[in-house]
Amino acid sequence: MNVVQGADYRFTIITNKLCRLEYSKTGKFEDRPTQFVQNRDLGEVDYTVKENNGGHLIEIETDSFHLYYDGGKFTASNLYIDAKYNYGTYFSRWHFGEKDKNNLLGTTETLDGIDGAVPLETGIQSKDGFSYIDDTDSFVLLEDEFISRNQQAVDGYYFAYGRDYRQALKDYYRLSGKTPLIPRYALGNWWSRYYKYTQESYLQLMDRFEKEDIPISVSVIDMDWHKTDIPVRFGSAWTGYSWNKDLFPEPEKLLKELHERGKHVTLNVHPAAGIRAFEDSYPAVAERMKLDQNAEEPAIFNFDNPIFRESYFKDVHHPIEDQGVDFWWVDWQQGTSRDKSKIEPLWALNHYHFLDNSKRNHNDGLLLSRYAGPGSHRYPLGFSGDSIITWDSLAFQPYFTATATNIGYTWWSHDIGGHYKGSYDAELSLRWLQFGVFSPINRLHSYDNPFVGKEPWNFPVQIERSMSDFMRLRGKLIPYLDTANYHTSVSGRALIEPMYYQYPDEREAYNFPNQYLFGSEMFVAPITTPTIADIDMSTEDVWLPEGVWYDFFSDLRYQGGTKIKVCRDINSIPVFVKAGGIVPLSGDYMEDPETLPNKIVVHVFPGENNRYSMFEHVGEDIAETIFEYDEKNRQLTYTVNDPKKIVPLDREIEIIIHNAEANQNVLVEGEIIKRLQNTRMSYDTKKEIFRFLPTAFSDSRKFSSYIETLENSAIRAMLTEMCYLIE
């Protein structure tokens, strides 16, 4: 270990850009893993130490930071660090205790009751090039136990990664533990609703999705799966673990039939009230915990009690899992620990639930629960809370989702379409779903109001068709999503990243907060505003980085290095693929994602050479298919590394090389040019793209009317957005 230590202080140089700062008046320090930090030994580091002023002034220097400490309890006066980056006109100096004013933020526990934006906690990324995370109050966390730690006045971590955001995140995961691979089935569409389904109506609903050729991979049954009509003496009906036989008379049969339909099942639980005497599992719980059954003595929720934890899983949850439940939606809303000597209940629930589910599923575990703080990425997935059905709620979620990567929390699951309040808005439901398809988890959700259900066939026919197509697209995207799933866990690179991860020195990368990278090949700018009546399209401001980009839906080619206001009808959103981009899609979107597809359709967007590895997993077994694209010969070749033989032997790989240039040439030579003779425009023959000047149209209404007569929707969209160039 790279340690500089005195009687009451200790500095650990973890990497050349990461340093642990500790102060303890007693001289006792904590070496065990904590909730946040799991590993502090990341290898040897090249650093120097100097002692001046009779040994009082300590200086520690690496190639990335210079620490100065002048003895005593840490304060802004005696401990400061210079990061060796200079962004702007100021020096990157941090005094202990000061806030990082240009922190790019992280995430927060919940969006419950929020209509629009909410303040976010700090993350590890900052435009200043440095940040700090305080770990002083966290508990020691061993594999199966939370323990009160050695008390220290200070225990924190200083990051000095400049704007190398990806390396910062990678080392963050090395420090705090990796994100587990999530099961492939979680990458498909989820159906969730707070609604009193019956066994018959729920199966009929799943059959209707099948009939409509719409894939659903996860069936969520909200709290009405359990008894809610309970005697008043037992208190709240939110907590329950016994099937409501009035609604679900044969739960084993229900779960069996759902599995036969290729669905994976989760049930919602609110654990706060513990296990009470009306529960089916109560006799077993009471016997294990030595409770007075005659007096109906409850098993009080207490995850600090190992006997309660044992009974909670073995007597309550495991029997229901044995019936066919795959994982749990833990809906903890009951606040925090009132005793600092006890672990926060949400932390304990997340840890023990994920640990238990992983052990029972051969390390392919899953949990849907709330964010509990740094380190929560080890327990995917995150439930962001009950979304309010408004455009403002939708408009905040792309930024919220991408920014959470700054604290390593990359698998958010939102209430896609919104949960409650608001009003019926078919277009809002569609745009939210389109974002959901290009978000980490696409879990459609609502409460029982008849006007907010998300079934596509309940909407006007044009909305229905677009919704259905996007849900099919989500099924097709699973090979691409599982590749990002692998990289998140193994390489420390998230599916969704803010644009500044790829373009850290570009000003515009920070100015378009709702635009984000989606895997290695694409970026997305979801539509979050209603249709503009004059053009019958929605618009979104988009920054196109340098290079050539292709519209994922239309193949239209764009030259980067500019800002535009794109226009999209209800059938698409702004999704751009880089030149040379390789996007593998499943050839059968209706199959259970746990079964690797027999056919892969590989879409190549030309312009640059590229190499792309598609990763697929079944349990802990991994297969890699390496695609290499040669632009000169317009040829894609591939090799398969499959040591565990998980790839279907009869797999077919279809290759589609897109040719957007041909579409552009049609536009160059066609009738549209004649119609635009009165328009001030320029045409770059090298880049094969129009550039309209800001004063392009002397009569924009007349031009808009002409656009509406065009049958080709892709051309219509392109010409319309040319009217709205930002620059």
Side-chain angles (χ1 to χ4, degrees):
M1 295 288 287
N2 312 301
V3 175
V4 178
Q5 184 171 351
D8 53 6
Y9 68 86
R10 185 169 72 170
F11 302 108
T12 304
I13 304 89
I14 298 172
T15 75
N16 63 320
K17 302 174 187 296
L18 175 58
C19 185
R20 185 186 189 191
L21 319 176
E22 297 175 274
Y23 181 83
S24 172
K25 189 174 181 179
T26 64
K28 291 183 178 180
F29 302 100
E30 185 57 74
D31 293 319
R32 294 167 293 180
T34 66
Q35 291 168 257
F36 168 46
V37 176
Q38 295 290 290
N39 174 35
R40 303 180 185 92
D41 187 1
L42 304 188
E44 291 296 320
V45 183
D46 187 13
Y47 66 97
T48 60
V49 180
K50 296 179 182 178
E51 294 186 11
N52 297 309
N53 192 23
H56 290 290
L57 177 61
I58 305 294
E59 295 184 44
I60 302 172
E61 187 172 7
T62 73
D63 60 3
S64 298
F65 68 83
H66 192 155
L67 179 151
Y68 302 83
Y69 172 57
D70 201 17
K73 184 178 180 180
F74 294 170
T75 67
S77 299
N78 68 6
L79 174 59
Y80 59 92
I81 307 176
D82 291 334
K84 295 184 178 180
Y85 312 102
N86 190 0
Y87 302 114
T89 59
Y90 53 88
F91 195 64
S92 295
R93 173 167 290 181
W94 174 74
H95 291 263
F96 179 80
E98 288 185 348
K99 290 185 177 181
D100 171 12
K101 297 179 181 178
N102 287 299
N103 193 277
L104 291 164
L105 305 179
T107 194
T108 192
E109 180 177 319
T110 183
L111 298 180
D112 276 340
I114 303 299
D115 186 2
V118 63
L120 302 179
E121 300 164 16
T122 57
I124 61 169
Q125 317 290 22
S126 173
K127 291 177 73 174
D128 288 342
F130 60 86
S131 61
Y132 178 79
I133 292 184
D134 189 356
D135 194 39
T136 307
D137 293 330
S138 71
F139 280 65
V140 168
L141 176 55
L142 306 181
E143 180 183 5
D144 199 25
E145 189 177 11
F146 290 88
I147 305 171
S148 295
R149 61 179 291 161
N150 293 326
Q151 292 301 307
Q152 298 170 252
V154 177
D155 183 8
Y157 294 81
Y158 173 83
F159 292 75
Y161 283 81
R163 294 184 180 174
D164 191 351
Y165 303 126
R166 285 188 177 136
Q167 187 60 48
L169 183 63
K170 185 175 182 178
D171 284 353
Y172 174 87
Y173 284 140
R174 293 171 67 202
L175 176 75
S176 61
K178 71 176 186 177
T179 300
L181 272 171
I182 66 171
R184 279 175 63 94
Y185 66 77
L187 301 172
N189 296 307
W190 296 38
W191 181 258
S192 174
R193 192 174 185 189
Y194 180 27
Y195 189 84
K196 277 186 166 60
Y197 290 108
T198 65
Q199 184 159 338
E200 181 181 9
S201 69
Y202 198 87
L203 290 172
Q204 287 175 347
L205 175 64
M206 293 299 108
D207 289 341
R208 177 68 186 272
F209 277 112
E210 191 80 18
K211 180 182 177 182
E212 299 289 339
D213 203 32
I214 298 173
I216 298 291
S217 61
V218 178
S219 293
V220 183
I221 306 179
D222 212 317
M223 65 167 287
D224 284 307
W225 72 270
H226 64 73
K227 297 175 183 177
T228 56
D229 185 11
I230 63 174
V232 175
R233 67 182 184 277
F234 291 114
S236 171
W238 284 91
T239 300
Y241 297 98
S242 305
W243 284 96
N244 182 342
K245 295 297 182 69
D246 293 333
L247 299 178
F248 303 100
E250 299 177 284
E252 295 92 340
K253 183 179 179 181
L254 167 70
L255 297 171
K256 181 175 182 291
E257 292 196 25
L258 286 172
H259 284 140
E260 288 173 351
R261 288 164 169 79
K263 316 305 176 194
H264 301 261
V265 184
T266 182
L267 304 179
N268 174 279
V269 287
H270 296 81
I275 318 301
R276 292 164 291 180
F278 66 86
E279 301 284 12
D280 296 344
S281 55
Y282 178 75
V285 173
E287 182 177 353
R288 187 184 299 272
M289 296 191 67
K290 311 301 182 189
L291 303 176
D292 186 344
Q293 295 189 52
N294 292 328
E296 296 183 335
E297 181 183 2
I300 302 297
F301 177 85
N302 180 8
F303 253 38
D304 290 314
N305 181 348
I307 300 176
F308 174 82
R309 288 201 311 269
E310 181 183 24
S311 186
Y312 176 87
F313 288 113
K314 290 185 177 180
D315 300 324
V316 181
H317 288 76
H318 291 176
I320 302 174
E321 292 172 21
D322 291 340
Q323 292 176 327
V325 172
D326 295 288
F327 65 101
W328 297 92
W329 173 9
V330 177
D331 202 349
W332 179 263
Q333 300 170 301
Q334 285 71 35
T336 61
S337 172
R338 291 172 173 80
D339 184 344
K340 289 298 182 182
S341 68
K342 294 183 178 181
I343 189 65
E344 296 290 351
L346 178 59
W347 252 106
L349 281 162
N350 289 352
H351 177 74
Y352 289 116
H353 258 286
F354 190 84
L355 189 71
D356 184 76
N357 193 260
S358 295
K359 286 180 178 178
R360 288 173 62 83
N361 289 282
H362 310 290
N363 290 323
D364 208 16
L366 197 65
L367 171 70
L368 182 62
S369 186
R370 297 172 188 267
Y371 175 77
S376 293
H377 63 273
R378 300 193 300 269
Y379 317 111
L381 309 160
F383 165 51
S384 66
D386 298 335
S387 298
I388 296 177
I389 305 171
T390 63
W391 285 97
D392 285 343
S393 291
L394 168 60
F396 181 61
Q397 285 192 2
Y399 164 75
F400 176 84
T401 307
T403 304
T405 300
N406 293 340
I407 198 66
Y409 202 69
T410 61
W411 288 114
W412 270 121
S413 169
H414 303 302
D415 286 351
I416 296 300
H419 172 68
Y420 69 144
K421 297 184 179 180
S423 60
Y424 173 81
D425 189 327
E427 185 185 3
L428 173 59
S429 296
L430 170 62
R431 293 306 191 187
W432 215 322
L433 170 61
Q434 291 169 338
F435 162 64
V437 168
F438 288 92
S439 73
I441 300 297
N442 189 34
R443 180 178 54 84
L444 283 75
H445 183 80
S446 65
Y447 75 128
D448 62 358
N449 186 305
F451 297 105
V452 299
K454 303 305 185 299
E455 298 91 337
W457 51 85
N458 286 344
F459 292 92
V461 63
Q462 290 181 315
I463 298 289
E464 174 192 357
R465 289 172 181 167
S466 186
M467 279 185 153
S468 299
D469 285 344
F470 268 86
M471 293 181 76
R472 294 174 191 127
L473 175 58
R474 181 70 183 199
K476 294 177 184 178
L477 279 166
I478 287 174
Y480 185 76
L481 297 169
D482 200 28
T483 297
N485 181 22
Y486 172 88
H487 282 300
T488 301
S489 181
V490 176
S491 309
R493 178 171 176 177
L495 165 66
I496 288 182
E497 300 173 314
M499 294 297 290
Y500 46 77
Y501 273 54
Q502 182 72 33
Y503 307 98
D505 297 322
E506 294 286 343
R507 180 188 62 186
E508 303 302 349
Y510 302 87
N511 292 340
F512 287 76
N514 268 22
Q515 184 174 314
Y516 54 83
L517 300 164
F518 188 71
S520 61
E521 311 298 288
M522 309 184 197
F523 78 82
V524 183
I527 297 291
T528 60
T529 55
T531 290
I532 298 173
D534 288 348
I535 59 173
D536 198 27
M537 294 186 185
S538 296
T539 66
E540 193 70 31
D541 293 345
V542 170
W543 169 60
L544 290 166
E546 289 289 347
V548 173
W549 298 91
Y550 295 86
D551 184 288
F552 177 74
F553 294 98
S554 70
D555 287 356
L556 288 173
R557 194 168 77 100
Y558 295 75
Q559 183 62 43
T562 190
K563 298 175 288 183
I564 59 175
K565 185 181 289 290
V566 301
C567 303
R568 294 293 184 268
D569 62 19
I570 62 171
N571 296 311
S572 70
I573 64 171
V575 177
F576 296 92
V577 187
K578 67 183 182 182
I582 298 172
V583 181
L585 303 180
S586 174
D588 187 355
Y589 53 82
M590 290 301 292
E591 285 289 329
D592 180 352
E594 289 287 87
T595 302
L596 300 188
N598 284 314
K599 182 177 181 180
I600 296 289
V601 182
V602 184
H603 294 260
V604 181
F605 297 80
E608 300 286 346
N609 293 337
N610 193 17
R611 187 177 190 272
Y612 176 89
S613 287
M614 178 181 72
F615 290 95
E616 302 171 280
H617 87 285
V618 175
E620 296 182 275
D621 298 330
I622 307 291
E624 178 187 18
T625 303
I626 304 169
F627 297 100
E628 295 190 77
Y629 175 65
D630 181 350
E631 167 66 14
K632 182 178 179 180
N633 297 310
R634 287 292 179 92
Q635 185 178 23
L636 183 75
T637 58
Y638 62 90
T639 57
V640 180
N641 298 324
D642 184 20
K644 298 297 184 178
K645 308 300 180 185
I646 62 174
V647 174
L649 294 175
D650 58 348
R651 168 171 284 178
E652 174 191 356
I653 294 185
E654 178 184 352
I655 299 169
I656 298 176
I657 298 180
H658 295 248
N659 190 355
E661 291 91 338
N663 291 337
Q664 290 287 4
N665 290 335
V666 169
L667 292 177
V668 171
E669 298 171 0
E671 184 180 1
I672 293 174
I673 296 298
K674 299 176 184 177
R675 298 291 185 99
L676 301 180
Q677 288 179 350
N678 294 326
T679 301
R680 292 186 61 220
M681 63 182 177
S682 63
Y683 175 68
D684 189 327
T685 55
K686 292 182 180 179
K687 296 178 179 178
E688 295 183 347
I689 193 165
F690 286 112
R691 286 193 180 278
F692 285 78
L693 302 178
T695 57
F697 303 103
S698 58
D699 189 346
S700 60
R701 288 188 178 183
K702 187 174 181 180
F703 181 69
S704 296
S705 297
Y706 164 71
I707 291 174
E708 292 174 6
T709 68
L710 299 175
E711 294 183 2
N712 188 313
S713 62
I715 294 175
R716 213 166 51 236
M718 186 195 75
L719 291 177
T720 302
E721 65 195 38
M722 284 177 176
C723 299
Y724 289 96
L725 277 171
I726 298 175
E727 289 186 331

